[in-house]
Amino acid sequence: MSLSLFDLTGRTALITGSARGIGMSLAEGLGAAGARIIVNSRGDDAVQAGVEHLRGAGIDAIGAAFDVADEAAVRAAFERFDADGIKIDILVNNAGIQHRQPMLELALADWQRVLDTNLTAAFLVGREAARRMLQRGRGGKIINIGSLMSEAARATTAPYTVAKGGIKMLSKAMAAEWAAHGIQANAIGPGYIHTDMNEKLVADPAFDAWVKASNPARRWGQPQELVGAAIFLASAASDYINGQIIYVDGGMLSVL
Ligand code: NDP
C-alpha cells in the first residue's frame, strides 16, 4: 500500500497551542508529513520561537498569536488569514489548560476559564475554520484534542473533565453538521503525557507511581506518540471516519 494516503503535502494546518508540548509535537509530525504549519499560542515571542524551531527542521511554518477563547480575537485572526490568502485544510484544536481544585472550593471564574479555553474555544475556532472550508468546497479535517477525561473523572479536575467530555460530543456535533460537506471531525484522547502541564505530577512520587501502576504500558506517554493518530486523522486515510475519538493512552482506559 502506498504511504501517499498519509501525505499532507500542499495542506495547511492550524494547530492551536502549538508553541510547546503536545501541540509542538503535532506540528513537527504534521510538518514532517508535508503540511505547512500555523503555530499558535497567546504569546508573540513563544509563537515566533516555535516557527523558527520548525523552520530549523525544514518545515514550512508561519505564526499566528491569538487567544482561542476570545471570540473577537479568533475572528480577527481568520480575517488576517483571508487577507493573506491562507486557507486552512486541517485544524487541530489543541490549546488547553488545567486547574486542579476540589469542587467545593472552586470559583466560578476558574470553572469558566477552563470551559472557555478547553471547550468553547474549539467551537469558536472550529466554526471559523469550517465556514471557510465549506465556502471553498474542498472539505477539510478537524481534530479536537480530548483526554482520558473525555471518558472518566478524577477528583479535583471537574471543569477539565466536563470540558473534555464536551470535546468528545463537540466532535460528533461537528460531524453531524459538516460531514456531508467533506469535513471529517474527530478527536484524539491522550493519556498521561509528559509535558509542562504535568511537570508537577511527574515529579510527585505518589502520582508518578499511580500513573505507572494504573497503566498497562507502565509508563507516561511522550508527546511524539500522538503524531501517528494525528497524521491518520489529518490525511485521506481517514476520509470516511467521522465523530470518533481515538484514545492514545497506553491502554489505561481499558483496565480497572
Ligand atoms: P501545555 O501546557 O504544555 O501547552 C498548552 C499550549 O496551549 C501552550 O502552547 C499554551 O500557550 C497554549 N494555550 C493555552 N491557553 C491558550 C489560549 N487561550 N489561546 C491560545 N493558546 C493557548 O499542555 P499540553 O501540551 O500538555 O496539552 C495540550 C492539549 O492536550 C491540551 O488540550 C490538554 O488538555 C491535552 N491533554 C494533555 C494531556 C497531558 O497529559 N499532557 C493529557 C490529555 C490531554 P500559552 O500559555 O503561551 O498561550
Side-chain angles (χ1 to χ4, degrees), residues 92-131:
V92 184
N93 278 313
N94 165 78
I97 54 171
Q98 176 60 286
H99 178 87
R100 292 175 193 276
Q101 200 165 27
M103 250 192 294
L104 293 180
E105 297 157 19
L106 185 65
L108 174 59
D110 289 323
W111 167 274
Q112 199 60 56
R113 191 167 50 85
V114 175
L115 265 291
D116 285 349
T117 308
N118 293 5
L119 178 58
T120 306
F123 155 66
L124 292 174
V125 183
R127 184 180 61 175
E128 293 303 325
R131 277 179 178 153

Short mmCIF file of all heavy atoms in Angstrom, two decimals, residues 92-131:
data_model
loop_
_atom_site.label_atom_id
_atom_site.label_comp_id
_atom_site.label_asym_id
_atom_site.label_seq_id
_atom_site.Cartn_x
_atom_site.Cartn_y
_atom_site.Cartn_z
N VAL A 92 -6.28 21.64 14.17
CA VAL A 92 -6.15 20.84 15.39
C VAL A 92 -6.46 21.76 16.57
O VAL A 92 -5.71 22.70 16.85
CB VAL A 92 -4.73 20.24 15.55
CG1 VAL A 92 -4.69 19.34 16.78
CG2 VAL A 92 -4.33 19.45 14.30
N ASN A 93 -7.58 21.51 17.23
CA ASN A 93 -7.96 22.28 18.43
C ASN A 93 -7.25 21.64 19.62
O ASN A 93 -7.78 20.71 20.25
CB ASN A 93 -9.48 22.24 18.62
CG ASN A 93 -10.19 23.26 17.76
OD1 ASN A 93 -9.79 24.44 17.70
ND2 ASN A 93 -11.24 22.84 17.08
N ASN A 94 -6.05 22.15 19.91
CA ASN A 94 -5.19 21.53 20.93
C ASN A 94 -5.02 22.39 22.18
O ASN A 94 -4.78 21.86 23.26
CB ASN A 94 -3.82 21.23 20.30
CG ASN A 94 -2.76 20.92 21.32
OD1 ASN A 94 -2.70 19.81 21.86
ND2 ASN A 94 -1.92 21.91 21.65
N ALA A 95 -5.13 23.71 22.05
CA ALA A 95 -4.85 24.60 23.20
C ALA A 95 -5.70 24.16 24.40
O ALA A 95 -6.89 23.89 24.25
CB ALA A 95 -5.15 26.05 22.85
N GLY A 96 -5.08 24.12 25.56
CA GLY A 96 -5.83 23.71 26.74
C GLY A 96 -5.10 24.09 28.01
O GLY A 96 -3.89 24.33 28.00
N ILE A 97 -5.86 24.16 29.09
CA ILE A 97 -5.28 24.44 30.41
C ILE A 97 -5.89 23.47 31.43
O ILE A 97 -6.96 22.91 31.19
CB ILE A 97 -5.55 25.91 30.87
CG1 ILE A 97 -7.06 26.22 30.82
CG2 ILE A 97 -4.75 26.89 30.03
CD1 ILE A 97 -7.42 27.56 31.47
N GLN A 98 -5.21 23.34 32.55
CA GLN A 98 -5.72 22.52 33.65
C GLN A 98 -5.83 23.42 34.88
O GLN A 98 -5.08 24.38 35.02
CB GLN A 98 -4.76 21.35 33.89
CG GLN A 98 -5.07 20.43 35.05
CD GLN A 98 -6.42 19.73 34.95
OE1 GLN A 98 -7.46 20.36 35.15
NE2 GLN A 98 -6.41 18.43 34.67
N HIS A 99 -6.76 23.13 35.74
CA HIS A 99 -6.88 23.83 37.03
C HIS A 99 -7.36 22.81 38.04
O HIS A 99 -8.50 22.36 37.95
CB HIS A 99 -7.87 25.00 36.92
CG HIS A 99 -8.06 25.73 38.21
ND1 HIS A 99 -7.24 26.77 38.62
CD2 HIS A 99 -8.97 25.55 39.21
CE1 HIS A 99 -7.64 27.20 39.80
NE2 HIS A 99 -8.69 26.48 40.18
N ARG A 100 -6.48 22.43 38.96
CA ARG A 100 -6.84 21.37 39.91
C ARG A 100 -7.29 21.97 41.23
O ARG A 100 -6.52 22.67 41.90
CB ARG A 100 -5.63 20.47 40.16
CG ARG A 100 -5.23 19.66 38.95
CD ARG A 100 -3.94 18.86 39.16
NE ARG A 100 -3.48 18.36 37.89
CZ ARG A 100 -3.93 17.23 37.33
NH1 ARG A 100 -4.80 16.48 37.95
NH2 ARG A 100 -3.48 16.86 36.14
N GLN A 101 -8.52 21.69 41.61
CA GLN A 101 -9.06 22.17 42.88
C GLN A 101 -10.34 21.39 43.20
O GLN A 101 -11.12 21.12 42.30
CB GLN A 101 -9.41 23.66 42.74
CG GLN A 101 -9.52 24.38 44.05
CD GLN A 101 -9.51 25.89 43.86
OE1 GLN A 101 -9.89 26.41 42.83
NE2 GLN A 101 -9.09 26.59 44.90
N PRO A 102 -10.54 21.07 44.48
CA PRO A 102 -11.80 20.40 44.83
C PRO A 102 -12.99 21.30 44.47
O PRO A 102 -12.92 22.52 44.62
CB PRO A 102 -11.69 20.21 46.35
CG PRO A 102 -10.24 20.29 46.65
CD PRO A 102 -9.63 21.21 45.63
N MET A 103 -14.08 20.70 44.02
CA MET A 103 -15.24 21.47 43.55
C MET A 103 -15.82 22.38 44.63
O MET A 103 -16.32 23.46 44.34
CB MET A 103 -16.33 20.51 43.05
CG MET A 103 -16.50 20.57 41.56
SD MET A 103 -17.98 19.72 41.00
CE MET A 103 -17.61 18.03 41.40
N LEU A 104 -15.76 21.95 45.90
CA LEU A 104 -16.35 22.76 46.96
C LEU A 104 -15.61 24.09 47.12
O LEU A 104 -16.16 25.05 47.64
CB LEU A 104 -16.35 22.00 48.29
CG LEU A 104 -17.25 20.77 48.36
CD1 LEU A 104 -17.16 20.11 49.73
CD2 LEU A 104 -18.70 21.13 48.04
N GLU A 105 -14.37 24.15 46.66
CA GLU A 105 -13.58 25.39 46.77
C GLU A 105 -13.44 26.11 45.45
O GLU A 105 -12.76 27.14 45.35
CB GLU A 105 -12.15 25.04 47.27
CG GLU A 105 -12.12 24.43 48.64
CD GLU A 105 -10.85 23.60 48.86
OE1 GLU A 105 -9.86 23.77 48.12
OE2 GLU A 105 -10.88 22.75 49.78
N LEU A 106 -14.05 25.57 44.42
CA LEU A 106 -13.81 26.08 43.06
C LEU A 106 -14.60 27.36 42.78
O LEU A 106 -15.81 27.38 42.98
CB LEU A 106 -14.20 24.98 42.05
CG LEU A 106 -13.93 25.24 40.58
CD1 LEU A 106 -12.43 25.36 40.31
CD2 LEU A 106 -14.53 24.13 39.73
N ALA A 107 -13.92 28.40 42.32
CA ALA A 107 -14.59 29.66 41.99
C ALA A 107 -15.20 29.56 40.59
O ALA A 107 -14.65 28.89 39.71
CB ALA A 107 -13.57 30.80 42.03
N LEU A 108 -16.30 30.26 40.39
CA LEU A 108 -16.96 30.26 39.08
C LEU A 108 -15.98 30.73 37.99
O LEU A 108 -15.97 30.18 36.88
CB LEU A 108 -18.20 31.17 39.12
CG LEU A 108 -18.91 31.37 37.79
CD1 LEU A 108 -19.39 30.05 37.20
CD2 LEU A 108 -20.08 32.35 37.95
N ALA A 109 -15.15 31.73 38.32
CA ALA A 109 -14.24 32.28 37.30
C ALA A 109 -13.27 31.20 36.81
O ALA A 109 -12.94 31.15 35.61
CB ALA A 109 -13.47 33.46 37.87
N ASP A 110 -12.81 30.32 37.72
CA ASP A 110 -11.88 29.27 37.30
C ASP A 110 -12.61 28.19 36.49
O ASP A 110 -12.07 27.67 35.50
CB ASP A 110 -11.19 28.67 38.53
CG ASP A 110 -10.19 29.65 39.14
OD1 ASP A 110 -9.53 30.38 38.35
OD2 ASP A 110 -10.10 29.72 40.37
N TRP A 111 -13.81 27.82 36.94
CA TRP A 111 -14.65 26.90 36.16
C TRP A 111 -14.81 27.42 34.73
O TRP A 111 -14.59 26.72 33.75
CB TRP A 111 -16.01 26.76 36.85
CG TRP A 111 -17.09 26.11 36.04
CD1 TRP A 111 -17.92 26.72 35.15
CD2 TRP A 111 -17.45 24.72 36.04
NE1 TRP A 111 -18.78 25.80 34.59
CE2 TRP A 111 -18.52 24.58 35.12
CE3 TRP A 111 -16.99 23.60 36.73
CZ2 TRP A 111 -19.13 23.33 34.88
CZ3 TRP A 111 -17.59 22.36 36.49
CH2 TRP A 111 -18.64 22.23 35.57
N GLN A 112 -15.17 28.72 34.63
CA GLN A 112 -15.48 29.31 33.33
C GLN A 112 -14.25 29.38 32.43
O GLN A 112 -14.31 29.10 31.24
CB GLN A 112 -16.06 30.72 33.54
CG GLN A 112 -16.82 31.25 32.35
CD GLN A 112 -18.01 30.36 31.99
OE1 GLN A 112 -18.87 30.10 32.81
NE2 GLN A 112 -18.04 29.88 30.76
N ARG A 113 -13.09 29.74 33.04
CA ARG A 113 -11.84 29.87 32.27
C ARG A 113 -11.46 28.53 31.64
O ARG A 113 -11.04 28.47 30.47
CB ARG A 113 -10.74 30.35 33.24
CG ARG A 113 -9.44 30.79 32.63
CD ARG A 113 -8.61 31.53 33.68
NE ARG A 113 -8.49 30.78 34.94
CZ ARG A 113 -7.60 29.85 35.20
NH1 ARG A 113 -6.70 29.54 34.28
NH2 ARG A 113 -7.56 29.23 36.37
N VAL A 114 -11.61 27.45 32.40
CA VAL A 114 -11.25 26.13 31.87
C VAL A 114 -12.24 25.71 30.77
O VAL A 114 -11.84 25.21 29.72
CB VAL A 114 -11.20 25.08 33.01
CG1 VAL A 114 -10.94 23.69 32.45
CG2 VAL A 114 -10.11 25.46 34.01
N LEU A 115 -13.53 25.96 31.01
CA LEU A 115 -14.54 25.63 29.97
C LEU A 115 -14.30 26.46 28.71
O LEU A 115 -14.37 25.94 27.59
CB LEU A 115 -15.95 25.89 30.51
CG LEU A 115 -16.74 24.73 31.12
CD1 LEU A 115 -17.14 23.73 30.05
CD2 LEU A 115 -15.99 24.00 32.22
N ASP A 116 -14.01 27.75 28.89
CA ASP A 116 -13.81 28.64 27.73
C ASP A 116 -12.61 28.18 26.90
O ASP A 116 -12.67 28.13 25.68
CB ASP A 116 -13.56 30.09 28.20
CG ASP A 116 -14.84 30.76 28.67
OD1 ASP A 116 -15.93 30.19 28.45
OD2 ASP A 116 -14.74 31.84 29.28
N THR A 117 -11.50 27.86 27.58
CA THR A 117 -10.27 27.54 26.87
C THR A 117 -10.31 26.13 26.26
O THR A 117 -9.85 25.93 25.14
CB THR A 117 -9.05 27.62 27.84
OG1 THR A 117 -9.08 28.89 28.48
CG2 THR A 117 -7.74 27.45 27.09
N ASN A 118 -10.87 25.18 27.00
CA ASN A 118 -10.78 23.77 26.58
C ASN A 118 -11.95 23.31 25.73
O ASN A 118 -11.84 22.28 25.05
CB ASN A 118 -10.66 22.86 27.81
CG ASN A 118 -9.36 23.04 28.56
OD1 ASN A 118 -8.57 23.91 28.23
ND2 ASN A 118 -9.12 22.23 29.55
N LEU A 119 -13.07 24.03 25.79
CA LEU A 119 -14.24 23.57 25.03
C LEU A 119 -14.80 24.66 24.11
O LEU A 119 -14.87 24.46 22.89
CB LEU A 119 -15.34 23.08 26.00
CG LEU A 119 -16.64 22.61 25.33
CD1 LEU A 119 -16.39 21.47 24.35
CD2 LEU A 119 -17.66 22.19 26.40
N THR A 120 -15.15 25.81 24.67
CA THR A 120 -15.78 26.85 23.84
C THR A 120 -14.83 27.29 22.73
O THR A 120 -15.26 27.55 21.60
CB THR A 120 -16.20 28.04 24.72
OG1 THR A 120 -17.03 27.55 25.77
CG2 THR A 120 -16.97 29.07 23.91
N ALA A 121 -13.53 27.34 23.03
CA ALA A 121 -12.55 27.76 22.02
C ALA A 121 -12.56 26.82 20.82
O ALA A 121 -12.41 27.26 19.68
CB ALA A 121 -11.15 27.79 22.64
N ALA A 122 -12.77 25.54 21.05
CA ALA A 122 -12.79 24.58 19.93
C ALA A 122 -14.00 24.84 19.04
O ALA A 122 -13.92 24.69 17.81
CB ALA A 122 -12.81 23.15 20.46
N PHE A 123 -15.11 25.26 19.64
CA PHE A 123 -16.28 25.68 18.85
C PHE A 123 -15.96 26.96 18.08
O PHE A 123 -16.22 27.05 16.87
CB PHE A 123 -17.48 25.89 19.78
CG PHE A 123 -18.50 26.85 19.25
CD1 PHE A 123 -19.24 26.55 18.10
CD2 PHE A 123 -18.72 28.08 19.87
CE1 PHE A 123 -20.18 27.46 17.60
CE2 PHE A 123 -19.65 28.98 19.37
CZ PHE A 123 -20.37 28.67 18.23
N LEU A 124 -15.35 27.94 18.76
CA LEU A 124 -15.09 29.24 18.11
C LEU A 124 -14.13 29.09 16.93
O LEU A 124 -14.39 29.59 15.83
CB LEU A 124 -14.49 30.23 19.12
CG LEU A 124 -15.41 30.70 20.25
CD1 LEU A 124 -14.63 31.56 21.24
CD2 LEU A 124 -16.61 31.48 19.68
N VAL A 125 -13.02 28.40 17.15
CA VAL A 125 -12.02 28.25 16.08
C VAL A 125 -12.56 27.30 15.01
O VAL A 125 -12.39 27.53 13.81
CB VAL A 125 -10.66 27.76 16.65
CG1 VAL A 125 -9.62 27.68 15.55
CG2 VAL A 125 -10.17 28.70 17.76
N GLY A 126 -13.24 26.24 15.47
CA GLY A 126 -13.83 25.28 14.52
C GLY A 126 -14.85 25.93 13.62
O GLY A 126 -14.91 25.65 12.42
N ARG A 127 -15.68 26.82 14.19
CA ARG A 127 -16.71 27.50 13.39
C ARG A 127 -16.09 28.35 12.29
O ARG A 127 -16.51 28.30 11.13
CB ARG A 127 -17.57 28.35 14.33
CG ARG A 127 -18.73 29.03 13.66
CD ARG A 127 -19.54 29.85 14.64
NE ARG A 127 -18.75 30.93 15.25
CZ ARG A 127 -19.24 31.85 16.06
NH1 ARG A 127 -20.52 31.83 16.38
NH2 ARG A 127 -18.47 32.79 16.57
N GLU A 128 -15.05 29.13 12.65
CA GLU A 128 -14.40 29.99 11.64
C GLU A 128 -13.74 29.14 10.55
O GLU A 128 -13.83 29.45 9.36
CB GLU A 128 -13.36 30.91 12.29
CG GLU A 128 -13.92 31.95 13.22
CD GLU A 128 -14.94 32.88 12.57
OE1 GLU A 128 -14.80 33.22 11.39
OE2 GLU A 128 -15.90 33.25 13.27
N ALA A 129 -13.05 28.07 10.98
CA ALA A 129 -12.36 27.22 10.00
C ALA A 129 -13.38 26.53 9.09
O ALA A 129 -13.22 26.50 7.86
CB ALA A 129 -11.51 26.18 10.73
N ALA A 130 -14.45 26.00 9.68
CA ALA A 130 -15.43 25.24 8.88
C ALA A 130 -16.18 26.15 7.91
O ALA A 130 -16.49 25.73 6.79
CB ALA A 130 -16.40 24.53 9.82
N ARG A 131 -16.48 27.38 8.33
CA ARG A 131 -17.15 28.31 7.41
C ARG A 131 -16.36 28.43 6.11
O ARG A 131 -16.91 28.39 5.01
CB ARG A 131 -17.24 29.70 8.05
CG ARG A 131 -18.41 29.86 8.98
CD ARG A 131 -18.43 31.25 9.59
NE ARG A 131 -19.60 31.38 10.46
CZ ARG A 131 -19.67 32.20 11.49
NH1 ARG A 131 -18.64 32.97 11.81
NH2 ARG A 131 -20.77 32.26 12.22
#
